[in-house]
Amino acid sequence: MYQFDKGIGRRGTNCVKWDAPFVGSDVTPMWIADMDFEIAPAITENLMKIAGQGAFGYQFLSDKYYEAVISWMKRRHGLVVKREEIFYVPNVVLGMSFAVQAVSEPGDEIIIMTPVYGPFFKVVNDNGRILSESPMKNDSGYYTMDLEDLESRITVKTKAVILCNPHNPSGRVWRKEELKAFADVCMKHGLYIISDDIHSELISEGYEHIFISSLSKEIKKKCVICTSPSKGFNLAGIHVANCFIFDEALQEKYAEISEKSHAAENNAFAEAALLGAYNDSEEWLKELNQYINGNLDYFVDYIQKEIPSLTVRKPEGTYLVWVDFRKTGVLPEELHEYLLKECRLAVNDGTFFGKPGSGYARFNLACPRAYVMGALGQLKEKFT
Ligand SMILES: Cc1ncc(COP(=O)(O)O)c(C=O)c1O
């Protein structure tokens, strides 16, 4: 049994979550998506070995790296990936940015479905593409894609849609029928699908992660799948991610863009971390998911019973909870500051995820249960 209740002291370690200037010493940080748990021991052991080498010159990724990715994806997700289909990138957002460049030209349109993780807006805008937003349907916190709206936004200039699976911030784990219906629209209009599957290791019991590329050969050819062990195993600071591309012409284009960026070199610790995660930490991940599930249940049950002014729904995946504060009377534009100053909680403001996020906040529950309990006490004090 791993000790997730114990947590790990991160203040004073240049940790963005705990040491960002706006996070005061009496504030509990529940914002940026990383975890306050010690990582799996097998990963630490591998990293210690590399640290012990005492030399940190240029290093390539060996066959073992690619074998570990291939084996994990097959074992855990039933996804078949070949060596030549795997593209290392330091982080998923960079991988998505390369994908945007590979499937479109400046001035082309790319659709995202909002609310969604803030950098989705940026990878489109910062590459000189035109952003088109399709708001999702929100039925009391249960989000679904609005495919009619999505299709109505497609023009001759539209080249791709970016999908978030599982969806951040709602925590929806897209079902096969939903993915199929979405992919059908994309295929009908010849669109590429850039799918961000970074949260795919964090799935609540009773749900299954499906990679959209697994639906058919036709869909697979139009996909760029972005993955990483970073969310599931808490390795964001190591910088290790992989994009899967199945079409040969797209692979060539992607490789060219990646090379020209001079930004996609691996660091000396990337392989050791990924091997520790994918080859030797599946039991740890299983227990992690159980612990997170407990946190999610506790948080959601408590709010539903004790704080009726807040609306919340248990996510199907991720460790993130999307909380609706619109009935509380706090002005949406003051919500973030109010939670920080009055409740001493640092969360992500809903508007980070686009306009439909106004009046919402996203809570990160990848932390010891005691923090969750403390945060709920602080919320109850101010909102009942
Ligand atoms: C959906 C999603 N994609 C990408 C990222 C960032 O990934 P990376 O740090 O690998 O760029 C996050 C981080 O929270 C995320 O939630």
Side-chain angles (χ1 to χ4, degrees), residues 33 91-93 96 117 120 164 168 196 198-199 230-231:
N91 63 303
V92 160
V93 173
M96 287 200 289
Y117 179 60
F120 278 33
C164 194
N168 173 9
D196 176 349
I198 196 168
H199 291 278
S230 65
K231 293 289 165 223

Side-chain angles (χ1 to χ4, degrees), residues 15 21 35 47 52 62 83 101 108 119-120 146 166 174 194 210 214 233 248 281 285 294 298 309 328 348 378 384:
C15 163
M35 308 201 270
L47 292 173
S62 79
R83 163 71 185 81
Q101 295 170 57
D108 283 341
F120 278 33
D146 188 340
W174 300 116
I194 301 171
I210 298 168
S214 67
F233 296 95
E248 256 180 60
S281 302
L285 182 63
Y298 189 92
S309 63
T328 61
N348 282 97
Q378 281 147 231
T384 50

Side-chain angles (χ1 to χ4, degrees), residues 17 19 84 87 161 283 301 308 310 318:
K17 189 184 199 176
D19 294 329
E84 61 274 20
F87 291 79
V161 186
E283 181 56 32
D301 288 350
L310 307 186
T318 80

Side-chain angles (χ1 to χ4, degrees), residues 2-253:
Y2 297 100
Q3 295 304 316
F4 297 106
D5 267 332
K6 199 163 67 120
I8 184 163
R10 301 176 71 199
R11 232 187 255 279
T13 62
N14 293 356
C15 163
V16 174
K17 189 184 199 176
W18 287 82
D19 294 329
F22 77 97
V23 182
S25 59
D26 63 341
V27 166
T28 306
M30 302 183 113
W31 62 298
I32 194 166
D34 65 22
M35 308 201 270
D36 293 316
F37 303 126
E38 202 168 333
I39 58 167
I43 305 176
T44 306
E45 272 168 39
N46 280 3
L47 292 173
M48 299 285 254
K49 275 187 218 147
I50 299 296
Q53 280 176 192
F56 303 99
Y58 299 110
Q59 286 189 261
F60 60 86
L61 296 167
S62 79
D63 288 345
K64 278 195 205 154
Y65 177 91
Y66 294 98
E67 282 158 16
V69 176
I70 290 166
S71 167
W72 176 263
M73 290 300 158
K74 181 82 189 65
R75 241 170 42 240
R76 190 158 175 96
H77 298 290
L79 183 77
V80 177
V81 196
K82 297 193 201 115
R83 163 71 185 81
E84 61 274 20
E85 295 167 344
I86 303 171
F87 291 79
Y88 166 85
V89 276
N91 63 303
V92 160
V93 173
L94 185 64
M96 287 200 289
S97 174
F98 292 163
V100 163
Q101 295 170 57
V103 302
S104 64
E105 298 296 327
D108 283 341
E109 293 166 15
I110 299 205
I111 303 178
I112 63 171
M113 291 174 278
T114 55
V116 80
Y117 179 60
F120 278 33
F121 297 75
K122 288 174 133 309
V123 291
V124 176
N125 288 330
D126 293 350
N127 281 307
R129 275 60 172 176
I130 313 291
L131 182 75
S132 177
E133 284 182 52
S134 174
M136 291 163 66
K137 289 183 188 161
N138 176 5
D139 180 5
S140 310
Y142 188 74
Y143 283 82
T144 49
M145 305 181 210
D146 188 340
L147 296 183
E148 247 175 62
D149 179 87
L150 178 81
E151 192 162 17
S152 74
R153 289 173 196 276
I154 298 171
T155 74
V156 285
K157 289 206 146 247
T158 311
K159 294 290 160 21
V161 186
I162 310 183
L163 174 72
C164 194
N165 181 27
H167 179 249
N168 173 9
S170 76
R172 280 297 321 282
V173 172
W174 300 116
R175 285 182 286 109
K176 196 174 197 167
E177 311 82 77
E178 291 178 296
L179 291 173
K180 179 79 177 62
F182 164 73
D184 283 349
V185 174
C186 296
M187 293 310 106
K188 185 173 152 194
H189 296 276
L191 305 184
Y192 286 95
I193 299 170
I194 301 171
S195 181
D196 176 349
D197 296 64
I198 196 168
H199 291 278
S200 54
E201 312 308 345
L202 299 159
I203 305 293
S204 287
E205 231 182 276
Y207 296 92
E208 185 196 1
H209 179 74
I210 298 168
F211 284 97
I212 194 161
S213 59
S214 67
L215 295 181
S216 78
K217 277 192 186 145
E218 186 201 4
I219 295 167
K220 187 173 169 176
K221 281 176 87 72
K222 298 291 274 186
C223 283
V224 177
I225 304 287
C226 306
T227 69
S228 173
S230 65
K231 293 289 165 223
F233 296 95
N234 210 27
L235 301 173
I238 298 280
H239 276 203
V240 56
N242 297 290
C243 291
F244 306 147
I245 301 168
F246 308 95
D247 177 70
E248 256 180 60
L250 191 57
Q251 285 169 0
E252 273 175 33
K253 216 161 174 195

